[in-house]
Amino acid sequence: MSNQTATSRAEMPKAANPVLDRRTVENANRNLLKHLKPGLSVLDVGCGSGAITRGMAERVGPQGRVVGIDPSETLLLQARQQSGELPQLKFQTADVYDFETAEQFDLVTCARVLQWLARPEEALARMAKWVKPGGVLAVLDYNHEKVEWMPEPPETMKKFYGAFLKWRQEAGFDNAIADHLKDQFLRIGFEKITIEPQFEISQKSEPTFVETSRIWSEVAHLRGPQLVKDGYISEEDRTAAIEDYNRWIATTGESMQLYLLAVEGQKNG
Ligand SMILES: C[S@@+](CC[C@H](N)C(=O)[O-])C[C@H]1O[C@@H](n2cnc3c(N)ncnc32)[C@H](O)[C@@H]1O
C-alpha cells in the first residue's frame, strides 16, 4: 500500500471524538505523571484534541512549556477551543515526518500515534532528535492483537474487529506496535529503556464500564464508514456490529481489556 493510503487511513474522522476528549493524563497517560514537574518543557506528538496535553500544561505551570503538534486542523481547533488561555501551552499543525524545530525538550511524548504510522521507527528517530540530552522519550501504544473481552463479544463485532485489523495492517500499520517498541528504541540508540504496562481495563462493576467499553462501537461508528468505503465490511455488518455490541455491554458483557505499554527511554546526556 502507498504512503498515501496510510496517510488517509490515519486521518481522524472530523466528527466530535468522545474517545479522545474523555482522556486525561491521570486516566490515559499516567506514565507521564512522574515527569511532569513545574518548569518542564514538553513536546506532545499527535496531541489530537489536546485533552491530555492540557493536563500536562497545568502540571508544568507557567514556568514550563508544552507544545502539541498534530496534522489534523479539526482536532487542533477543538484543542485550542477547549484549552482556554494557558500561556505555557501552544498547538501547532504539523506532521511528525516533516515537523522542524531547533528546540529540544525535557520530555517528548507520543501516545497512541505510532499505531497509525506506516514508518513508526522513522518517526521515533525524528522524535529522539527533539529530546534534550538526559531528557526522556515516552511512547504509549497498543497491541491490538491482545485485546480481551469477557465473555466473547458478538460475532458481528468480532467480524468488524477482524476487518478493522486487516484494514490497518494492509495500510502498513503495525497492530502489535506496543511489543515492538523496545527493539525500535534500541535500534535508534537508546540504552536506558523502561516498559510499563498501562492496560486499559473496563469492568462491569465500575460506573465507567459503558463509556469505556463502548470504544469499539465508537470506532465502528467513526472509523467504520472508511472501512465500508474501502470494501473491508458491508454497511449492514457495520451497523449490526454496533447494535449487537451495545447490547452486549448492556447485558452479558463483563469486561474488556486493551493491551497498552508505556515505553520510555532516556537520551544519553
Ligand atoms: C488516537 S489519536 C491519539 C491522540 C492523543 N495522543 C491521545 O492519546 O488521546 C492519534 C493522533 O495521531 C495523529 N496523527 C496521525 N498521523 C500523524 C502524523 N503523521 N504525525 C503526527 N500525528 C499524527 C492523529 O491526527 C490523531 O490526533
Side-chain angles (χ1 to χ4, degrees), residues 14-264:
K14 300 223 177 327
N17 195 317
V19 180
L20 299 192
D21 287 341
R22 63 175 169 253
R23 290 185 179 144
T24 63
V25 184
E26 292 82 354
N27 74 17
N29 222 160
R30 61 182 182 278
N31 57 303
L32 299 183
L33 290 171
K34 60 186 175 296
H35 302 297
L36 294 170
K37 303 284 185 293
L40 203 82
S41 62
V42 186
L43 176 66
D44 184 11
V45 177
C47 62
S49 60
I52 300 174
T53 330
R54 189 163 63 243
M56 297 181 204
E58 284 160 2
R59 285 191 155 67
V60 305
Q63 312 308 324
R65 171 168 160 78
V66 176
V67 178
I69 66 166
D70 200 284
S72 165
E73 296 276 4
T74 315
L75 289 174
L76 287 186
L77 184 66
Q78 291 168 22
R80 291 191 183 98
Q81 284 168 347
Q82 290 164 10
S83 292
E85 291 297 314
L86 288 175
Q88 68 271 33
L89 175 60
K90 296 275 177 300
F91 291 104
Q92 186 178 331
T93 311
D95 189 297
V96 67
Y97 295 124
D98 50 33
F99 177 61
E100 292 293 343
T101 181
E103 191 174 352
Q104 288 189 312
F105 296 81
D106 297 308
L107 171 66
V108 175
T109 170
C110 182
R112 306 175 180 83
V113 176
L114 295 184
Q115 57 161 336
W116 290 110
L117 300 185
R119 291 172 282 130
E121 196 166 320
E122 182 183 330
L124 266 187
R126 298 205 84 230
M127 289 190 270
K129 288 196 301 189
W130 305 325
V131 182
K132 280 183 191 169
V136 171
L137 176 59
V139 175
L140 180 70
D141 231 310
Y142 295 100
N143 184 336
H144 291 294
E145 291 163 4
K146 292 185 174 172
V147 63
E148 283 180 17
W149 285 278
M150 283 284 292
E152 290 286 301
E155 286 304 317
T156 47
M157 179 46 86
K158 286 207 276 193
K159 187 170 178 182
F160 174 80
Y161 192 75
F164 177 63
L165 294 198
K166 185 161 187 267
W167 174 82
R168 288 176 37 81
Q169 190 189 3
E170 291 185 356
F173 306 145
D174 182 355
N175 284 323
I177 182 86
D179 286 321
H180 300 149
L181 286 171
K182 184 184 172 196
D183 286 345
Q184 296 185 354
F185 268 72
L186 288 170
R187 283 198 294 269
I188 64 166
F190 282 85
E191 288 162 9
K192 295 176 210 155
I193 301 164
T194 59
I195 303 177
E196 225 182 297
Q198 304 264 291
F199 297 176
E200 293 178 345
I201 306 168
S202 326
Q203 279 170 330
K204 188 154 226 144
S205 53
E206 293 160 358
T208 50
F209 177 68
V210 172
E211 185 182 86
T212 49
S213 56
R214 208 168 47 202
I215 184 166
W216 296 115
S217 26
E218 287 167 349
V219 168
H221 176 67
L222 288 167
R223 294 268 182 192
Q226 289 172 264
L227 273 74
V228 173
K229 187 162 83 42
D230 295 339
Y232 283 76
I233 196 158
S234 70
E235 177 59 14
E236 203 180 16
D237 285 349
R238 180 185 80 91
T239 46
I242 296 174
E243 279 169 29
D244 294 347
Y245 186 66
N246 285 344
R247 198 171 316 110
W248 177 89
I249 293 172
T251 56
T252 53
E254 286 295 332
S255 69
M256 186 215 47
Q257 175 177 287
L258 303 182
Y259 180 105
L260 259 175
L261 297 182
V263 180
E264 300 187 356

